[in-house]
Each structure stands twice: as structure tokens, then as C-alpha cells.
Amino acid sequence: MSAITPLMPRQKVPSLSVPLVGGGKWSLADQSPENFTMVVFYRGLHCPICGKYLKDLDTKLADFAKRGVNVVVVSSDGEDRATEAKAKWELENVDLGYGLDLDNAREWGLYISTSNGVTSSGYEEPAVFSEPGLFLVRPDGTLYFGTVQTMPFARPAFDQILGALDFVIAKNYPARGEVIDHTNP
């Protein structure tokens, strides 16, 4: 059994480097955003909820850029499935990474699921794949905000994240949840 270790605010996040649909490679180490890098992990082509969620993000990408936020979307799908997802879901703006190693997914605190067969979208789930997560990472590589899920439902709304970004940037609001040992803060 591989352990899930939650990421801690104000601490360094794990490395992340993935190939991109359409060519090239994306690496967290190469990012130099004004405020944050937002990493959105999705389940894969088989997930119709992911398609709607990522299409919403795709239409708001310029709003994130205005706030100094770089964005990448990543799954454990292979290149063919990721390429099909980008085309099928009409993702025109977002960088779509693929081939997330499941050990790396665990380092990020993501949950892993096994296949339930063919989904309502008509695609078979991979034998194993990572569940959703969303992280805001500061330019210094430390975690500002993170959320992971065991299911595809009830993800953080991008409109709410944009509103929160306006507040935290204007107020220089610190990352919360930073206490590692609550018996000795």
C-alpha cells in the first residue's frame, strides 16, 4: 500500500513535469507566475464531469492570467486519450498535460481509483487512474491552497476561485492550515 501524505500550506510541493497535448513539456520548476500556478488534476477522458469542468476553466483562462495565475491541467491518461479529450471537450486555451505517473499523483496527495468499466460517456475507465485535485502554488514552489477529492463531484467552482484570488492578492492574505503539529503550534 502506498501512503497518501497531505501537502502542507507554506511547504514545498512535489515536482511535476508532464508532456503537453500538441507538443512540448510543462514543468512546475519552469513556472514564474506573478502570483500563483494553478494545477488542476482531472480523472481523464472517461469522465464527462471533467469535460464540463475543464471547458468552464478554458473559458476563464484569460481571467486567471489577468490575476497573474498560470494554469495547467493534468491527468494520468496517455497521449491519445488526452488528445481526444482536448478535441472532444473543445479546450482551446488551456495547457493539457498527460501521462501523470501515479507515484507522482500520490506525492501530490491524490486518490487513486480502479476501473468501473464503461462510463456514461461511452469510454472505458483506465485500469487505475488519479482522482481530481486543485492546487495553487506560489512562485517560490510552496503550497497556498489545495483540495483533493475521492469522487468527480462537487469541485471548487472557478468563479469562486477567481473571487478568492481577488481578495487574497489585494489583502496579501496568508496561506492557512499551516500548523503541522497542533500540540505545539
Side-chain angles (χ1 to χ4, degrees):
M1 177 177 159
S2 66
I4 295 177
T5 303
L7 302 185
M8 295 301 296
R10 304 182 190 179
Q11 303 295 314
K12 291 281 188 185
V13 298
S15 63
L16 182 63
S17 182
V18 291
L20 294 172
V21 169
K25 192 163 195 125
W26 185 94
S27 175
L28 183 59
D30 295 339
Q31 301 305 299
S32 55
E34 180 183 346
N35 290 305
F36 299 100
T37 297
M38 184 168 74
V39 180
V40 180
F41 293 102
Y42 74 103
R43 301 173 85 225
L45 172 65
H46 64 276
C47 176
I49 294 170
C50 296
K52 291 176 186 166
Y53 189 64
L54 296 182
K55 182 61 180 176
D56 181 47
L57 172 60
D58 196 63
T59 65
K60 293 175 172 63
L61 208 59
D63 297 321
F64 282 98
K66 286 178 195 170
R67 289 161 174 86
V69 179
N70 295 353
V71 177
V72 70
V73 174
V74 179
S75 81
S76 54
D77 271 353
E79 181 177 12
D80 291 345
R81 286 174 65 104
T83 300
E84 186 173 350
K86 187 162 184 163
K88 179 180 174 65
W89 298 338
E90 300 175 343
L91 304 176
E92 299 171 4
N93 304 304
V94 73
D95 284 335
L96 191 72
Y98 61 89
L100 174 67
D101 178 81
L102 293 179
D103 288 335
N104 196 196
R106 279 286 200 224
E107 291 173 344
W108 279 84
L110 300 179
Y111 292 93
I112 309 294
S113 291
T114 58
S115 178
N116 277 335
V118 177
T119 66
S120 62
S121 66
Y123 291 95
E124 182 138 1
E125 292 181 343
V128 287
F129 58 92
S130 60
E131 290 292 347
L134 187 149
F135 300 88
L136 288 173
V137 180
R138 287 198 177 275
D140 67 0
T142 60
L143 180 67
Y144 181 77
F145 168 85
T147 180
V148 295
Q149 296 175 254
T150 63
M151 300 289 279
F153 317 110
R155 299 183 201 189
F158 293 115
D159 284 334
Q160 290 179 359
I161 294 171
L162 287 166
L165 284 167
D166 290 338
F167 175 82
V168 302
I169 292 167
K171 304 291 184 188
N172 195 27
Y173 194 78
R176 303 312 322 253
E178 76 283 4
V179 176
I180 294 172
D181 180 358
H182 69 280
T183 63
N184 187 21

